[in-house]
Amino acid sequence: MAVNPAVYGASTRPPRGDYGRAADDYTCTQDYAAYTAQDHALYHRLYERQSAQLPGLASQHFIDALPLLGAKERIPRLEEVSERLYRATRWQLVAVPGLIPEAPFFTLLANRKFPVTDWIRTPAEFDYIVEPDIFHDLFGHVPLLFNPVFADYVQRYGQGGLKAHQLGACEMLARLYWYTIEFGLIREHGALRAYGAGILSSAGELAYAVRSPEPQRLPLQIERTMRTRYKIDSYQQTYFVTESFEQLFALTAPDFTPLYACLRKLPEFAADAH
C-alpha cells in the first residue's frame, strides 16, 4: 500500500521526506547512518541556542525533562530515547518521513506512539523552517511526554482526534492542538511560562510569547480555542494560558460531539480577534 504525504497549511510545495520507505501506518526506520557530520553539528547548534533561552521562559517541567533526550552533541537515536520514555510514561517514539495525514497521526497518539520526523533542516533554515523536522519534534515535543499528566493529555487528544475525524470536526480539534501542544502557555507559581513545542523550538517566539506586550493571552477555554483561527507563517497573535496540566487534562474529559454541533453554528474568531 502506497502512502502519501500530508499537505501543510496552504503551501503548494510537497513536504520533503521519502514516503516510499514508510509502512502502511506511515512509520519508518530511522536511517541513522544517513546523518552527516554537518547534520549532527547543526542539531548541536540548535540545541545549544534553544536551551540557553529556557530559564525564566519555559515550563520547569520541560526544563527538568530535557536532559532525558540524551547527548546534545549529536542527533539522538530514537530507540534510545524511546526506551527511557517508555519506562517513564509508557510512550514510544516512532520515526516518520514527514507530515502524515490526520487519521494515522491520531491513531499513533491514541496508542501512545509519538511520530518524529527523522530528517533535519538545512543550515539555511537554521532560523526558520516551515515544516517540523527532527529538532522540532524531539526538542519541542518529547520532553513533556515524560510528564505523566501531559502524556495522558496527548493520548486523550489522539483518541478525540479519531472521533473528530469521523465527525468531520478535525479543523476545530486542530486548533486545540495548535493552541496547547504547539503554542500553549502555562502559569507556574504565578509566572507565565511556555510549554508548547512550537514556542520552545523557536529562536524568536519563546521570548515573544512569554514577555512581549503585543499578543493577547487568554485563559484557556475550549469553545473559544476551537473557534480561533491561527497563523502558520508568523508569531501567534493570540495565546491561551492553562493553570496546570491537570486543568488541561480535565478540560478535555467531556465528549466533544455535542460541542462540535454547537460550534458549527457560531462564527469563528480571527487569529488577532479580541
Side-chain angles (χ1 to χ4, degrees):
M1 174 181 172
V3 298
N4 300 303
V7 176
Y8 189 61
S11 175
T12 57
R13 178 179 60 78
R16 71 188 82 177
D18 180 9
Y19 288 79
R21 62 193 179 91
D24 290 352
D25 64 354
Y26 282 84
T27 64
C28 61
T29 300
Q30 182 186 24
D31 187 0
Y32 199 81
Y35 298 129
T36 65
Q38 182 185 58
D39 291 334
H40 290 295
L42 180 60
Y43 178 87
H44 186 204
R45 288 173 57 211
L46 287 164
Y47 190 111
E48 288 280 81
R49 178 175 65 175
Q50 286 307 112
S51 59
Q53 296 188 56
L54 298 178
L57 296 174
S59 166
Q60 193 61 45
H61 295 290
F62 180 89
I63 292 173
D64 292 343
L66 186 60
L68 295 171
L69 293 183
K72 60 186 177 183
E73 293 80 15
R74 58 174 175 82
I75 297 171
R77 293 182 182 271
L78 296 185
E79 66 266 24
E80 294 178 358
V81 183
S82 192
E83 287 177 5
R84 293 190 288 272
L85 182 60
Y86 188 79
R87 289 195 298 269
T89 59
R90 294 298 186 263
W91 271 79
Q92 296 171 281
L93 304 183
V94 291
V96 291
L99 289 161
I100 65 176
E102 291 166 340
F105 178 70
F106 295 143
T107 299
L108 289 173
L109 296 187
N111 288 283
R112 297 178 88 88
K113 295 180 180 180
F114 193 82
V116 176
T117 301
D118 68 345
W119 52 261
I120 192 165
R121 68 193 72 184
T122 66
E125 297 168 309
F126 184 74
D127 290 321
Y128 176 76
I129 186 170
V130 176
E131 301 164 51
D133 67 342
I134 193 168
F135 177 75
H136 166 82
D137 284 345
L138 268 178
F139 185 97
H141 284 286
V142 173
L144 282 181
L145 289 176
F146 283 91
N147 178 283
V149 179
F150 190 80
D152 286 348
Y153 167 68
V154 178
Q155 181 184 30
R156 176 174 282 176
Y157 180 88
Q159 294 166 338
L162 290 173
K163 182 181 290 187
H165 185 72
Q166 296 173 340
L167 296 171
C170 284
E171 176 59 29
M172 285 182 276
L173 198 67
R175 292 170 182 168
L176 180 62
Y177 187 94
W178 188 267
Y179 283 119
T180 60
I181 295 172
E182 287 289 357
F183 289 92
L185 297 178
I186 189 170
R187 204 170 300 281
E188 293 181 350
H189 305 293
L192 204 61
R193 297 290 183 263
Y195 72 89
I199 304 174
L200 294 166
S201 63
S202 170
E205 192 156 2
L206 180 53
Y208 169 87
V210 176
R211 293 179 177 166
S212 173
E214 294 180 19
Q216 66 172 339
R217 301 173 182 88
L218 304 176
L220 181 65
Q221 196 263 359
I222 297 297
E223 293 87 347
R224 172 60 195 265
T225 304
M226 287 187 178
R227 293 172 61 193
T228 304
R229 296 192 293 271
Y230 54 80
K231 298 282 188 178
I232 66 169
D233 55 359
S234 64
Y235 294 167
Q236 300 307 299
Q237 294 164 295
T238 299
Y239 296 96
F240 290 91
V241 183
T242 185
E243 296 300 318
S244 67
F245 293 147
E246 287 79 9
Q247 181 200 43
L248 188 62
F249 187 72
L251 284 173
T252 54
D255 179 6
F256 286 169
T257 303
L259 177 61
Y260 295 144
C262 177
L263 294 183
R264 286 192 178 98
K265 303 174 185 177
L266 300 174
E268 297 178 338
F269 289 97
D272 58 350
H274 289 269

Coordinates of all heavy atoms in Angstrom, one line a residue, residues 43-44 46-55 58-74 76 81 84-85 93 134-147 195 197 200-201 206:
Y43 N 22.3 20.1 14.6 CA 21.4 19.7 15.8 C 22.0 20.3 17.0 O 21.3 20.9 17.9 CB 21.3 18.2 15.9 CG 20.5 17.7 17.1 CD1 19.1 17.6 17.0 CD2 21.1 17.4 18.3 CE1 18.3 17.2 18.1 CE2 20.3 17.0 19.4 CZ 19.0 16.9 19.3 OH 18.2 16.6 20.4
H44 N 23.3 20.1 17.2 CA 24.0 20.6 18.4 C 23.9 22.2 18.5 O 23.6 22.7 19.6 CB 25.5 20.3 18.4 CG 26.2 20.6 19.6 ND1 27.6 20.8 19.6 CD2 25.8 20.8 20.9 CE1 28.0 21.1 20.9 NE2 26.9 21.1 21.6
L46 N 21.5 24.0 17.2 CA 20.1 24.3 17.5 C 19.8 24.1 19.0 O 19.1 24.9 19.7 CB 19.2 23.5 16.6 CG 19.1 23.8 15.1 CD1 18.5 22.7 14.3 CD2 18.3 25.1 14.9
Y47 N 20.3 23.0 19.5 CA 20.0 22.6 20.9 C 20.7 23.6 21.8 O 20.0 24.1 22.8 CB 20.6 21.2 21.1 CG 20.3 20.6 22.5 CD1 19.4 19.5 22.5 CD2 20.8 21.1 23.7 CE1 19.1 18.9 23.8 CE2 20.5 20.5 24.9 CZ 19.6 19.4 24.9 OH 19.3 18.8 26.1
E48 N 21.9 24.0 21.5 CA 22.6 25.0 22.4 C 21.8 26.3 22.4 O 21.7 26.9 23.5 CB 24.0 25.2 21.9 CG 24.9 24.0 22.2 CD 25.4 23.9 23.6 OE1 24.6 23.5 24.5 OE2 26.5 24.4 23.9
R49 N 21.4 26.8 21.3 CA 20.7 28.1 21.2 C 19.4 28.0 22.0 O 19.1 29.0 22.8 CB 20.5 28.5 19.7 CG 19.7 29.8 19.6 CD 19.5 30.3 18.2 NE 18.7 29.4 17.4 CZ 18.3 29.7 16.2 NH1 18.7 30.7 15.6 NH2 17.5 28.8 15.5
Q50 N 18.6 27.0 21.8 CA 17.3 27.0 22.4 C 17.4 26.7 23.9 O 16.7 27.4 24.7 CB 16.5 25.9 21.8 CG 15.9 26.3 20.4 CD 15.2 27.6 20.4 OE1 15.7 28.6 19.8 NE2 14.1 27.7 21.1
S51 N 18.3 25.8 24.3 CA 18.4 25.5 25.7 C 18.9 26.7 26.5 O 18.5 26.9 27.7 CB 19.3 24.3 26.0 OG 20.6 24.5 25.5
A52 N 19.7 27.6 25.9 CA 20.2 28.8 26.6 C 19.1 29.8 26.9 O 19.2 30.6 27.8 CB 21.3 29.4 25.8
Q53 N 18.0 29.7 26.2 CA 16.9 30.6 26.3 C 15.8 30.2 27.3 O 15.0 30.9 27.7 CB 16.2 30.9 25.0 CG 17.0 31.5 23.9 CD 16.2 31.9 22.7 OE1 15.2 32.6 22.8 NE2 16.5 31.3 21.5
L54 N 15.9 28.9 27.7 CA 14.8 28.3 28.5 C 14.6 28.9 29.9 O 13.4 29.1 30.3 CB 15.0 26.8 28.6 CG 15.0 26.0 27.3 CD1 15.3 24.6 27.6 CD2 13.7 26.2 26.6
P55 N 15.6 29.2 30.7 CA 15.4 29.7 32.1 C 14.5 31.0 32.1 O 14.8 31.9 31.4 CB 16.8 30.0 32.6 CG 17.7 29.0 31.8 CD 17.1 29.0 30.4
A58 N 10.6 29.0 29.9 CA 10.0 27.6 29.6 C 9.4 27.0 30.9 O 9.9 27.3 32.0 CB 11.0 26.7 29.0
S59 N 8.4 26.2 30.7 CA 7.9 25.4 31.9 C 9.0 24.7 32.6 O 9.9 24.0 31.9 CB 6.8 24.5 31.4 OG 6.5 23.5 32.4
Q60 N 9.0 24.7 33.9 CA 10.0 23.9 34.6 C 9.9 22.4 34.4 O 10.9 21.7 34.4 CB 9.9 24.2 36.1 CG 11.1 23.7 36.9 CD 12.4 24.4 36.5 OE1 12.5 25.6 36.3 NE2 13.5 23.6 36.4
H61 N 8.7 22.0 34.1 CA 8.5 20.6 33.7 C 9.3 20.2 32.5 O 10.0 19.2 32.4 CB 7.0 20.3 33.5 CG 6.1 20.4 34.7 ND1 6.2 19.5 35.7 CD2 5.2 21.3 34.9 CE1 5.3 19.9 36.6 NE2 4.7 21.0 36.2
F62 N 9.3 21.1 31.5 CA 10.1 20.9 30.3 C 11.6 20.9 30.6 O 12.4 20.1 30.1 CB 9.7 22.0 29.3 CG 10.5 21.8 28.0 CD1 10.0 21.1 27.0 CD2 11.7 22.5 27.8 CE1 10.6 21.0 25.7 CE2 12.3 22.4 26.6 CZ 11.8 21.6 25.5
I63 N 12.0 21.9 31.3 CA 13.5 22.1 31.6 C 14.0 20.9 32.4 O 15.1 20.4 32.1 CB 13.7 23.4 32.4 CG1 13.4 24.6 31.6 CG2 15.1 23.5 33.0 CD1 13.4 25.9 32.4
D64 N 13.2 20.4 33.3 CA 13.7 19.2 34.1 C 13.8 18.0 33.3 O 14.7 17.1 33.5 CB 12.7 19.0 35.3 CG 12.8 20.1 36.3 OD1 13.7 20.8 36.3 OD2 11.8 20.1 37.1
A65 N 12.9 17.8 32.2 CA 12.9 16.6 31.4 C 13.9 16.7 30.2 O 14.2 15.6 29.7 CB 11.5 16.3 30.9
L66 N 14.3 17.8 29.8 CA 15.1 18.0 28.6 C 16.4 17.1 28.6 O 16.7 16.5 27.6 CB 15.5 19.4 28.4 CG 16.3 19.8 27.1 CD1 15.4 19.4 25.9 CD2 16.7 21.3 27.1
P67 N 17.1 16.9 29.7 CA 18.3 16.1 29.7 C 18.0 14.6 29.3 O 18.9 13.9 28.9 CB 18.8 16.1 31.1 CG 18.3 17.5 31.6 CD 17.0 17.6 31.0
L68 N 16.7 14.2 29.4 CA 16.4 12.8 29.1 C 16.4 12.5 27.6 O 16.4 11.4 27.2 CB 15.0 12.5 29.6 CG 14.9 12.5 31.2 CD1 13.4 12.4 31.6 CD2 15.7 11.4 31.8
L69 N 16.6 13.6 26.8 CA 16.8 13.4 25.4 C 18.2 12.8 25.1 O 18.4 12.2 24.0 CB 16.7 14.7 24.6 CG 15.3 15.3 24.5 CD1 15.4 16.6 23.6 CD2 14.3 14.4 24.0
G70 N 19.1 12.9 26.0 CA 20.4 12.3 25.9 C 21.4 13.4 25.4 O 21.2 14.6 25.5
A71 N 22.5 12.9 24.9 CA 23.6 13.8 24.4 C 23.1 14.9 23.4 O 22.5 14.5 22.5 CB 24.8 13.0 23.8
K72 N 23.5 16.1 23.7 CA 23.1 17.2 22.8 C 24.0 17.4 21.6 O 23.7 18.1 20.7 CB 23.0 18.5 23.6 CG 24.3 18.9 24.2 CD 24.1 20.1 25.1 CE 25.4 20.5 25.8 NZ 25.2 21.7 26.8
E73 N 25.2 16.7 21.6 CA 26.2 16.9 20.6 C 25.9 16.2 19.3 O 26.5 16.4 18.3 CB 27.6 16.4 21.1 CG 28.2 17.2 22.2 CD 27.6 16.9 23.6 OE1 26.9 15.8 23.7 OE2 27.7 17.6 24.5
R74 N 24.9 15.3 19.3 CA 24.5 14.6 18.1 C 23.0 14.4 18.1 O 22.3 14.5 19.1 CB 25.2 13.3 18.1 CG 24.9 12.4 19.3 CD 25.5 11.0 19.2 NE 25.3 10.2 20.4 CZ 24.2 9.5 20.7 NH1 23.2 9.6 19.8 NH2 24.1 8.8 21.8
P76 N 19.9 12.4 18.4 CA 19.7 11.1 19.2 C 19.2 10.0 18.4 O 18.5 10.2 17.3 CB 18.6 11.6 20.2 CG 18.7 13.1 20.3 CD 19.0 13.5 18.9
V81 N 16.0 7.0 23.1 CA 15.1 7.9 23.8 C 13.8 7.2 24.2 O 13.2 7.4 25.2 CB 14.8 9.2 23.0 CG1 14.0 10.2 23.8 CG2 16.1 9.9 22.6
R84 N 13.8 5.1 27.4 CA 13.7 5.9 28.6 C 12.2 6.4 28.7 O 11.7 6.4 29.8 CB 14.7 7.1 28.6 CG 16.1 6.7 28.6 CD 17.0 7.8 28.9 NE 17.1 8.7 27.7 CZ 18.0 8.5 26.7 NH1 18.9 7.5 26.8 NH2 18.1 9.4 25.7
L85 N 11.7 6.8 27.6 CA 10.3 7.4 27.7 C 9.3 6.3 28.0 O 8.4 6.5 28.8 CB 9.9 8.0 26.3 CG 8.6 8.6 26.1 CD1 8.4 9.8 27.1 CD2 8.4 9.1 24.7
L93 N 8.5 6.4 20.8 CA 8.8 7.2 19.7 C 8.8 6.4 18.4 O 9.4 5.3 18.5 CB 10.1 8.0 19.8 CG 10.2 8.9 21.1 CD1 11.6 9.6 21.0 CD2 9.1 9.8 21.2
I134 N 13.3 16.9 12.8 CA 13.6 16.1 14.0 C 14.0 17.0 15.2 O 13.7 16.6 16.3 CB 14.8 15.1 13.7 CG1 14.9 14.1 14.8 CG2 16.1 15.8 13.4 CD1 15.7 12.9 14.5
F135 N 14.5 18.2 14.9 CA 14.8 19.0 16.1 C 13.5 19.5 16.7 O 13.4 19.5 17.9 CB 15.7 20.2 15.7 CG 16.0 21.1 16.8 CD1 16.8 20.8 17.8 CD2 15.3 22.3 17.0 CE1 17.0 21.6 18.9 CE2 15.5 23.2 18.1 CZ 16.4 22.8 19.1
H136 N 12.6 20.0 15.9 CA 11.3 20.5 16.4 C 10.6 19.3 17.2 O 10.1 19.5 18.3 CB 10.4 21.0 15.3 CG 9.0 21.2 15.8 ND1 8.6 22.3 16.4 CD2 7.9 20.4 15.7 CE1 7.3 22.2 16.7 NE2 6.9 21.0 16.3
D137 N 10.5 18.2 16.5 CA 9.8 17.1 17.1 C 10.4 16.6 18.4 O 9.7 16.3 19.4 CB 9.6 16.0 16.1 CG 8.6 16.3 15.1 OD1 7.8 17.2 15.3 OD2 8.5 15.6 14.0
L138 N 11.7 16.4 18.4 CA 12.4 15.9 19.6 C 12.5 16.9 20.7 O 12.1 16.7 21.8 CB 13.8 15.3 19.2 CG 13.9 13.9 18.8 CD1 15.3 13.6 18.5 CD2 13.5 13.0 20.0
F139 N 13.2 18.0 20.4 CA 13.4 19.1 21.4 C 12.1 19.7 21.9 O 11.9 19.9 23.1 CB 14.3 20.1 20.8 CG 14.8 21.2 21.8 CD1 16.0 21.1 22.5 CD2 14.0 22.3 22.1 CE1 16.4 22.0 23.4 CE2 14.3 23.2 23.0 CZ 15.6 23.1 23.7
G140 N 11.2 20.0 20.9 CA 10.0 20.7 21.3 C 8.9 19.8 22.0 O 8.3 20.2 23.0
H141 N 8.7 18.6 21.5 CA 7.6 17.8 22.0 C 8.0 16.7 23.0 O 7.2 16.5 23.9 CB 7.0 17.0 20.8 CG 6.1 17.9 19.9 ND1 4.9 18.3 20.3 CD2 6.3 18.4 18.7 CE1 4.3 19.0 19.3 NE2 5.2 19.1 18.3
V142 N 9.1 16.1 22.8 CA 9.3 14.8 23.6 C 9.5 15.1 25.1 O 9.0 14.3 25.9 CB 10.5 14.0 23.0 CG1 10.8 12.8 23.8 CG2 10.0 13.5 21.6
P143 N 10.3 16.1 25.5 CA 10.5 16.2 27.0 C 9.2 16.2 27.8 O 9.2 15.5 28.9 CB 11.2 17.6 27.1 CG 12.0 17.7 25.8 CD 11.1 17.1 24.8
L144 N 8.1 16.8 27.4 CA 6.9 16.8 28.2 C 6.2 15.5 28.1 O 5.3 15.3 28.9 CB 6.0 18.0 27.8 CG 6.4 19.4 28.3 CD1 5.5 20.4 27.9 CD2 6.5 19.3 29.8
L145 N 6.5 14.6 27.2 CA 5.9 13.3 27.2 C 6.4 12.5 28.4 O 5.9 11.4 28.7 CB 6.2 12.6 25.9 CG 5.4 13.1 24.7 CD1 5.8 12.4 23.4 CD2 3.9 13.0 24.9
F146 N 7.5 13.0 29.0 CA 8.0 12.3 30.3 C 7.1 12.7 31.5 O 7.3 12.2 32.5 CB 9.4 12.7 30.5 CG 10.4 11.9 29.7 CD1 10.8 12.5 28.4 CD2 10.9 10.7 30.1 CE1 11.7 11.8 27.6 CE2 11.8 10.0 29.3 CZ 12.2 10.5 28.0
N147 N 6.3 13.7 31.3 CA 5.3 14.2 32.4 C 4.1 13.3 32.3 O 3.4 13.4 31.3 CB 5.0 15.6 32.2 CG 4.1 16.1 33.3 OD1 2.9 15.9 33.2 ND2 4.6 16.9 34.2
Y195 N 5.0 26.1 27.3 CA 5.1 24.6 27.2 C 4.8 24.1 25.8 O 5.1 22.9 25.5 CB 4.1 23.9 28.2 CG 2.7 24.0 27.8 CD1 2.1 23.0 27.0 CD2 1.9 25.0 28.3 CE1 0.7 23.0 26.7 CE2 0.5 25.1 28.0 CZ 0.0 24.1 27.2 OH -1.4 24.1 26.8
A197 N 5.4 23.1 22.0 CA 6.6 22.8 21.2 C 7.0 23.8 20.2 O 8.1 24.0 19.9 CB 6.4 21.4 20.6
L200 N 8.8 26.5 22.1 CA 10.0 26.1 22.8 C 11.1 25.8 21.8 O 12.3 25.8 22.1 CB 9.7 24.8 23.6 CG 8.8 25.1 24.8 CD1 8.4 23.7 25.4 CD2 9.6 25.9 25.9
S201 N 10.7 25.4 20.5 CA 11.8 25.2 19.5 C 12.0 26.3 18.6 O 12.8 26.2 17.6 CB 11.3 23.9 18.7 OG 10.1 24.2 18.0
L206 N 9.9 32.3 21.6 CA 9.9 32.0 23.0 C 9.8 33.2 23.9 O 8.9 33.4 24.7 CB 11.1 31.1 23.4 CG 11.3 30.7 24.9 CD1 10.0 30.0 25.4 CD2 12.5 29.8 25.0

